[in-house]
Amino acid sequence: MHPTAAPERIPTEHAPGPATTDHATPTHCPYCALQCGMGLVRGAGGVEVVERPAFPVNGGALCGKGRTAPAVLSSRVRLTEPLVRSRVSGELEPAGWDEALDRVAEGFARVRGEHGADACGVFGGGGLTNEKAYALGKFARVVLGTSQIDYNGRFCMSSAAAAGTRAFGLDRGLPFPLADVARTGCVILVGSNLAETMPPALRYLTELKENGGTLIVVDPRRTRTAEHADLHLSPRPGTDLALALGLLHLVVAEGRVDEAYVRERTTGWEEARAAAMAHWPEYVERVTGVPVPQLRDVVRLFCDAEHAMVLTARGPEQQAKGTDTVSAWINLCLATGRPGRFLSGYGCLTGQGNGQGGREHGQKADQLPGYRKLTDPAARAHVAGVWGVDPDSLPGPGRSAYELLDALGRDVKSLLLMGSNPVVSAPRAAHVEERIRSLDFLVVADVVLSETARLADVVLPVTQWAEETGTVTNLEGRVLLRRRAVDPPGGVRSDLEVLHGLASRLGHGEKFPVVAEEVFEELRRASAGGVADYSGISYGRLREGDGEGVFWPCPQEGEGTQEEGTHRGTPRLFLERFATEDGRARFVAVAHRDSAEETDAEYPVVLTTGRVLSQYQSGAQTRRVEELNAAAPGAFVEVHPRLAARLRVADGEAVAVVSRRGRVVVPVRVTSGIRADTVFMPFHWPGEGRANTLTHPALDPVSRMPEFKVCAVRVERVERVERV
């Protein structure tokens, strides 16, 4: 096994490309869930990104990551041939595709024969296209026969997904287009720093204020986004649940409940009301640190507005009580009559590029395509019919993402990993790396040689966004078509070709087409009648016009255009009824509880984690782009001036951040924009600056989301900054 090494970096202007053309291929950015529209032009000097102003989500605007995305297409920075670990030297060495795929098939067949099907694991990613996510889930259950499949999206939106499903009967990140945000009257933005994580989306908040609306930001840091707020609340990390319950208490106490709405469109109000009334404003102030007058201001601004929204992101969601926390914010929206009304409601800001579609079509441990439950006999029968297998042959639910990673080398002996880098991104990352190293057999399919790929027995180089056609579903539930714009290097194959090659060697090749449109046609049939119904969407429809996409659910039947007779899609959900059996939304009674790990004398400070503008997720790709890396070259920790004074450190000096799980050494950034009892670290870097070495793996009991946002640490001065 190889130690982690720094990735090669290339200047963005040197990305190569094929012959010159005067036409830009319309496509979408490979990074976040906005899926910003862009055009790609191929020329002698490389691949150039051009604006695509007709696409409604970003109107042509792009952040630095989107502008420089072609840099990772370069053969200088990405994988261009399979690598197989030599049985003699122990090093990864170049190999042909047949040798590599034979080695993979033999490895999984051996493990399955010796230990059973569930000794084979599969781990996917929220950046995979819908076609890849669908095929990966099918491969796990049909070819390997394993229940052990999950994906890194479990670390992103799963708490909001669980809360949305139990309240509304359906999880779609935003139940309305982003454009509605600019037209509402008040937005409470909880735990999101859009200015750095999704910069083109900041315009919706700017337009909101220009239109006379109010922005309230809830974040323990005064971020670039919080700078735009009319009111910024800075609660202690891990107390968002108490904050939401305190606001609902005040809504009740001040007589601001929409009684008619609650009576006509909801159930469970009395229990939720009783739970909220136990959270007195003064108690909530003690728990959160948010003054009672600010709580009253929030209620006044939110309730006085004719239209209002609550939008949550990773802050309240990445907690061991994340599902209940989101439920509390949904309860606030329901009590004030917001969901299912025009320009109002609750929404989750999905993070990863296909985080929405990736959780709909079978990568999750408990799920079948169309957002169907694996435990539902009717769902199993429908999908098995599409797949041409016996429903009884489909395994049941398996482990969630962290639980799967924790089982590696013990119950799970081999792993196929696509589009994820858990050595950097998983909680308690050093432990996860240890578990990965203990595997009998690891296969990684990726674009670059990530920190996880360096540990593999076989590494398979795959195509990426601009080199392949496929669909993604953005944070609005808008299904989009990414189009192939350039040819991949000769030694690279698509993930669909990889799965077909492996399935062929294991006796199921005919079930795995390699053309994305053919896979999507099967996905349409598999999703038909499900919660996430794509059956009325086709590549033909997605190619039409300016490629604005189609919002799911979009069943084949129903009102449609005269020309096609197909459903128009559903930009706004719940206007007439919710997706529950009785059509009513459900309040869920929740109560505040402590985080899994509270501070004490030994670990007196709270660590929270997040992202920075110029890096993305584990940084496996963005750290290879010179311009982005120059803007954010390494890890750091933000501390308040009072904490810095106690430590006797100044900007740039070294500190060690220590938790019960590990220690990292990073330079300090002193800022008054963070609470004095809190420190912040971004999680994009490996090695000594790996923030997730510190984070807590405690899991939400419903969503199985790890507690990334809250853990107890101490900060110590060290003599120098070690290389990170």
Side-chain angles (χ1 to χ4, degrees):
M1 302 297 183
H2 294 287
T4 299
E8 180 188 0
R9 301 180 186 116
I10 61 169
T12 58
E13 65 269 23
H14 290 166
T20 303
T21 177
D22 295 328
H23 303 288
T25 301
T27 190
H28 297 273
C29 178
Y31 293 114
C32 81
L34 285 180
Q35 284 302 290
C36 291
M38 61 168 60
L40 292 182
V41 177
R42 300 173 294 173
V47 181
E48 179 185 356
V49 171
V50 296
E51 291 186 359
R52 189 179 158 196
F55 185 66
V57 174
N58 62 311
L62 293 168
C63 71
K65 293 187 290 291
R67 286 189 297 98
T68 61
V72 188
L73 299 172
S74 169
S75 59
R76 293 177 54 195
V77 72
R78 49 94 59 84
L79 294 164
T80 58
E81 58 186 345
L83 302 174
V84 171
R85 194 165 299 282
S86 170
R87 293 187 174 98
V88 177
S89 69
E91 301 294 320
L92 284 173
E93 298 177 351
W97 271 99
D98 284 341
E99 178 187 352
L101 293 176
D102 287 346
R103 177 82 74 92
V104 175
E106 290 165 3
F108 278 104
R110 174 181 54 78
V111 168
R112 188 172 57 180
E114 293 176 359
H115 304 285
D118 275 357
C120 300
V122 176
F123 199 88
L128 300 180
T129 63
N130 291 319
E131 293 82 358
K132 295 176 184 179
Y134 171 82
L136 189 61
K138 180 182 176 183
F139 178 86
R141 296 179 174 105
V142 173
V143 179
L144 298 179
T146 182
S147 66
Q148 301 304 302
I149 174 172
D150 212 83
Y151 82 128
N152 65 12
R154 180 78 66 172
F155 299 157
C156 195
M157 300 79 48
S158 58
S159 293
T165 298
R166 70 185 187 182
F168 308 128
L170 181 154
D171 157 46
R172 196 181 83 186
L174 292 181
F176 39 71
L178 261 174
D180 285 2
V181 173
R183 301 165 62 195
T184 193
C186 178
V187 170
I188 302 179
L189 184 66
V190 188
S192 171
N193 184 13
L194 280 178
E196 296 200 54
T197 60
M198 295 179 174
L202 188 64
R203 71 181 179 107
Y204 294 105
L205 302 181
T206 302
E207 291 173 13
L208 165 75
K209 298 187 65 176
E210 291 173 349
N211 292 335
T214 302
L215 174 63
I216 301 168
V217 171
V218 180
D219 198 306
R221 303 166 62 221
R222 188 160 183 81
T223 63
R224 297 185 188 184
T225 306
E227 293 287 347
H228 292 262
D230 297 284
L231 178 61
H232 173 217
L233 310 186
S234 180
R236 188 174 188 267
T239 64
D240 313 82
L241 176 52
L243 177 62
L245 287 164
L247 294 174
L248 183 53
H249 178 113
L250 286 171
V251 166
V252 176
E254 296 180 6
R256 289 179 173 272
V257 175
D258 188 332
E259 300 286 358
Y261 175 97
V262 169
R263 183 174 57 255
E264 296 166 7
R265 299 205 63 184
T266 73
T267 62
W269 167 234
E270 290 305 320
E271 295 83 356
R273 177 187 180 278
M277 296 312 288
H279 296 75
W280 291 87
E282 292 76 13
Y283 164 74
V284 170
E285 178 178 319
R286 289 198 303 273
V287 170
T288 66
V290 177
V292 171
Q294 281 196 339
L295 300 177
R296 296 188 184 278
D297 285 344
V298 173
V299 170
R300 173 179 55 82
L301 292 168
F302 189 69
C303 293
D304 284 353
E306 181 180 0
H307 309 291
M309 298 174 178
V310 171
L311 304 177
T312 68
R314 306 302 80 78
E317 298 163 17
Q318 287 182 326
Q319 300 182 31
K321 53 189 172 186
T323 302
D324 283 356
T325 301
V326 174
S327 289
W329 288 104
I330 291 175
N331 288 349
L332 177 67
C333 290
L334 290 172
T336 52
R338 303 306 189 178
R341 285 181 168 168
F342 187 58
L343 302 181
S344 292
Y346 164 78
C348 160
L349 297 170
T350 299
Q352 294 192 75
N354 196 31
Q356 181 67 56
R359 68 184 187 257
E360 295 168 0
H361 297 301
Q363 284 191 99
K364 290 177 71 174
D366 59 350
Q367 200 177 89
L368 289 170
Y371 230 136
R372 288 181 161 91
K373 285 292 183 185
L374 190 54
T375 53
D376 178 2
R380 293 169 66 88
H382 173 82
V383 174
V386 174
W387 289 350
V389 299
D390 184 340
D392 292 338
S393 71
L394 298 178
R399 295 175 172 87
S400 70
Y402 179 78
E403 292 165 305
L404 174 56
L405 295 172
D406 188 45
L408 298 181
R410 294 190 282 255
D411 297 328
V412 179
K413 305 292 186 180
S414 61
L415 183 69
L416 170 62
L417 189 147
M418 283 187 165
S420 185
N421 188 19
V423 164
V424 177
S425 63
R428 199 184 172 195
H431 171 73
V432 168
E433 179 177 345
E434 176 185 303
R435 300 316 317 150
I436 288 173
R437 289 178 180 273
S438 73
L439 281 165
D440 289 1
F441 191 63
L442 172 64
V443 182
V444 174
D446 209 334
V447 172
V448 297
L449 192 63
S450 69
E451 286 72 24
T452 306
R454 292 178 183 277
L455 306 180
D457 295 283
V458 179
V459 181
L460 303 173
V462 292
T463 53
Q464 53 181 306
W465 63 291
E467 301 164 348
E468 59 188 13
T469 295
T471 62
V472 292
T473 306
N474 82 341
L475 77 173
E476 308 163 297
R478 188 192 299 257
V479 183
L480 302 164
L481 183 65
R482 281 188 191 161
R483 309 186 199 208
R484 176 171 170 157
V486 298
D487 295 329
V492 171
R493 295 186 183 179
S494 73
D495 296 89
L496 296 178
E497 289 175 307
V498 167
L499 293 175
H500 172 81
L502 294 176
S504 297
R505 286 163 170 80
L506 295 169
H508 295 274
E510 74 284 354
K511 291 184 171 66
F512 289 84
V514 299
V515 177
E517 187 168 359
E518 294 179 21
V519 178
F520 189 80
E521 287 300 307
E522 184 180 306
L523 181 157
R524 292 175 64 191
R525 299 195 303 275
S527 74
V531 173
D533 192 333
Y534 282 33
S535 61
I537 306 173
S538 67
Y539 270 40
R541 292 190 72 181
L542 297 178
R543 290 187 183 104
E544 289 177 349
D546 293 321
E548 294 186 3
V550 178
F551 291 84
W552 72 260
C554 184
Q556 193 70 39
E557 299 79 14
E559 180 186 355
T561 64
Q562 292 182 353
E563 295 79 6
E564 292 192 52
T566 54
H567 196 279
R568 299 173 188 266
T570 314
R572 294 178 181 84
L573 298 172
F574 314 138
L575 295 180
E576 296 180 1
R577 70 188 311 275
F578 294 98
T580 56
E581 288 185 6
D582 60 6
R584 292 171 174 261
R586 300 185 182 97
F587 282 96
V588 178
V590 295
H592 174 68
R593 59 186 184 272
D594 287 342
S595 298
E597 185 176 69
E598 292 290 302
T599 56
D600 56 21
E602 188 176 2
Y603 299 96
V605 181
V606 178
L607 168 69
T608 192
T609 63
R611 287 171 47 191
V612 297
L613 177 63
S614 295
Q615 299 291 345
Y616 180 73
Q617 301 300 84
S618 74
Q621 295 183 51
T622 50
R623 283 186 277 114
R624 288 168 165 81
V625 179
E626 187 175 90
E627 179 180 329
L628 301 179
N629 208 66
F636 60 88
V637 60
E638 283 186 357
V639 305
H640 189 274
R642 290 208 295 270
L643 178 55
R646 288 203 300 271
L647 296 170
R648 294 178 292 110
V649 295
D651 266 338
E653 293 185 330
V655 295
V657 185
V658 185
S659 79
R660 290 178 173 86
R661 289 153 297 281
R663 177 179 185 268
V664 301
V665 178
V666 288
V668 70
R669 290 188 183 179
V670 181
T671 173
S672 59
I674 193 168
R675 291 176 56 97
D677 58 3
T678 301
V679 296
F680 166 81
M681 285 187 68
F683 61 86
H684 310 289
W685 291 275
E688 288 295 324
R690 182 171 56 176
N692 279 323
T693 296
L694 307 170
T695 49
H696 201 299
L699 301 180
D700 182 288
V702 179
S703 68
R704 316 308 289 168
M705 166 73 82
E707 190 147 73
F708 286 101
K709 291 298 183 186
V710 189
C711 75
V713 300
R714 66 173 179 266
V715 185
E716 303 169 340
R717 178 187 173 93
V718 298
E719 291 305 313
R720 62 185 180 84
V721 178
E722 301 172 22
R723 185 176 296 276
V724 297

